[in-house]
Amino acid sequence: MSTHENPQDHALVQLIAPDGTPAGDTDVGLKPDELRDLLRMMILARRLDRECMALQRQGELTVYPPFEGQEAAQVGSAYALEPEDFVFPSFRELAAGVVRGVDVVKYLQYHRGIWHGGAYEPLANRFAPICVPVATQIVHAVGWAMGAKLDGLRACSLAYFGDGSASEGDFHEAANLAGVFRAPAVLFCQNNAWAISVRLEEQTAGPIFKRAEGYGFPGVRVDGNDVLAVYAVTKAAADRARAGDGPTLIEAMTYRMGPHSTADDATRYRSSDEVNAWRKRDPIDRYLTYLLAAGVAEEAFVADCEDEAKEWVADIRTAITSVGPPPADELFAFAYADPPEALERDRRSVEESGDG
Ligand SMILES: Cc1ncc(C[n+]2csc(CCOP(=O)(O)OP(=O)(O)O)c2C)c(N)n1
Ligand SMILES: [Mg+2]
């Protein structure tokens, strides 16, 4: 059994067991309507993720990296943040973006091949542009946190990254800097067992959360498919950061149920037994079972969430499929105050061709 799947992992913070029964103190300080909202967000996110896969298969998006299976890791962590905090995502954090209130249609313009990083306004929801060069966003997040500290803001940053990204130099540089400067940053690793087709133990030999000790700050490993546990550890890390006590590394153990992206065929490198074993640890089923047993939600609420999700994604589909390409002259617009002659010539030729 791999280190990723070890059920005897004593370090793992878990509040709800995979069968939905409580496994710890489930009072994380959320009110019943907030507890229900976590479920609602996960249901909305999953529906959206599946719609995006369909949109890509129908040629409406160029490429899409699905997050199915990782809803609790993303929703639980994003829900723990305050509006003034700043999220630095990779390319798989649409569910976190939904929680932050990011304009999904503008987000998807990246995946439609229209605008780098998404067309949303990063400052509006404090959600940085989609970041594909793996691990670079961790450095951005720590830099932002250092700036926030210098400015005397009571806010933290949160960087999302994957297990594979934790093997990049940028992770280590960012972690070292965060430790030395006690930056108010939360380094949130979604360990989904795979970096495209490379399994965890092929690219790192030890638990990721333990690396924090070497950088002089705490590291915690949490069950990433347990939304309450993820919320609780992220809230504690964010509170700690805002209080001036420095960074925390969180390693959320989860699993990507789908392919790495729509350009990948995961059946070529992993077994259906492995995928099926993780299906039994589904984050939404687990939390739903818990909420129903605790009397916090009823079936009617779930049905309402599903209806809402259906309507919501239908509106998103209509909106994103009607977004056409931006004017071609924008290709020339933002790089130079005084464009060089060669570029000016290109611009004129586009203009004269009528393609602009
Ligand atoms: C600097 C850099 N190297 C390589 C790639 C190609 N690439 C894209 S995603 C990925 C793997 C990322 O794995 P992980 O960090 O575990 O995140 P996950 O995709 O599992 O969410 C790689 C190697 C890239 N985007 N950027
Ligand atoms: Mg990964």
Side-chain angles (χ1 to χ4, degrees):
M1 178 164 287
S2 77
T3 51
H4 184 261
E5 294 162 283
N6 183 1
Q8 309 300 322
D9 186 346
H10 297 299
L12 194 74
V13 178
Q14 187 182 72
L15 300 181
I16 304 174
D19 66 2
T21 57
D25 181 4
T26 53
D27 182 2
V28 296
L30 291 173
K31 299 193 227 32
D33 59 333
E34 293 169 322
L35 291 171
R36 283 191 290 275
D37 205 27
L38 283 177
L39 178 70
R40 174 178 160 266
M41 290 283 180
M42 290 200 288
I43 291 173
L44 289 176
R46 177 161 299 179
R47 184 87 199 201
L48 175 61
D49 191 57
R50 290 184 177 172
E51 190 72 14
C52 290
M53 287 297 282
L55 282 164
Q56 195 281 336
R57 297 306 189 213
Q58 292 159 4
E60 298 289 354
L61 301 179
T62 54
V63 69
Y64 177 74
F67 58 76
E68 180 156 340
Q70 301 181 212
E71 292 89 349
Q74 294 191 27
V75 170
S77 53
Y79 207 82
L81 299 178
E82 298 293 334
E84 59 273 21
D85 298 331
F86 215 117
V87 173
F88 289 81
S90 72
F91 45 80
R92 204 185 293 288
E93 274 82 45
L94 178 53
V98 168
V99 176
R100 293 294 286 177
V102 169
D103 183 325
V104 173
V105 176
K106 289 189 171 165
Y107 181 103
L108 291 178
Q109 288 184 32
Y110 175 77
H111 294 299
R112 198 164 160 84
I114 291 174
W115 199 256
H116 265 299
Y120 55 93
E121 168 52 69
L123 295 178
N125 302 84
R126 298 204 158 218
F127 194 85
I130 298 165
C131 190
V132 173
V134 297
T136 52
Q137 75 279 10
I138 317 173
V139 192
H140 304 160
V142 171
W144 187 90
M146 288 167 63
K149 187 174 175 175
L150 287 173
D151 287 347
L153 301 180
R154 205 180 157 79
C156 69
S157 62
L158 183 145
Y160 286 108
F161 54 97
D163 42 294
S165 308
S167 296
E168 288 280 352
D170 279 358
F171 164 80
H172 297 280
E173 291 168 23
N176 188 50
L177 213 59
V180 168
F181 289 96
R182 292 174 78 77
V186 180
L187 309 187
F188 193 97
C189 177
Q190 290 183 84
N191 184 339
N192 63 8
W194 292 94
I196 313 185
S197 56
V198 180
R199 69 166 64 242
L200 181 67
E201 41 286 22
E202 284 177 290
Q203 56 99 3
T204 196
I208 291 169
F209 76 102
K210 287 198 175 171
R211 295 180 198 170
E213 190 182 344
Y215 292 114
F217 54 86
V220 46
R221 179 178 264 185
V222 64
D223 185 331
N225 285 15
D226 173 352
V227 72
L228 281 193
V230 172
Y231 170 83
V233 301
T234 312
K235 173 92 167 60
D239 287 350
R240 185 173 175 278
R242 285 189 227 100
D245 295 330
T248 302
L249 171 62
I250 297 172
E251 182 185 15
M253 308 307 283
T254 183
Y255 195 79
R256 138 168 89 67
M257 298 302 294
H260 171 74
S261 77
T262 47
D264 172 48
D265 175 3
T267 63
R268 293 180 61 175
Y269 55 81
R270 66 183 192 185
S271 69
S272 52
D273 285 353
E274 179 179 312
V275 178
N276 289 335
W278 276 93
R279 207 166 283 291
K280 297 198 183 89
R281 298 182 221 177
D282 184 82
I284 299 183
D285 290 349
R286 179 188 312 202
Y287 188 53
L288 176 58
T289 306
Y290 166 78
L291 285 185
L292 293 174
V296 177
E298 291 176 2
E299 294 287 358
F301 174 77
V302 183
D304 286 350
C305 291
E306 288 184 347
D307 288 347
E308 179 191 354
K310 207 168 151 190
E311 234 175 88
W312 181 59
V313 300
D315 289 347
I316 290 168
R317 166 181 282 271
T318 307
I320 190 65
T321 53
S322 58
V323 179
D329 63 0
E330 282 192 358
L331 274 174
F332 306 95
F334 305 112
Y336 292 95
D338 300 308
E341 181 45 34
L343 206 62
E344 209 16 59
R345 243 191 340 264
D346 289 349
R347 193 191 63 73
R348 273 198 306 273
S349 90
V350 169
E351 197 177 68
E352 280 154 20
S353 72
D355 289 342

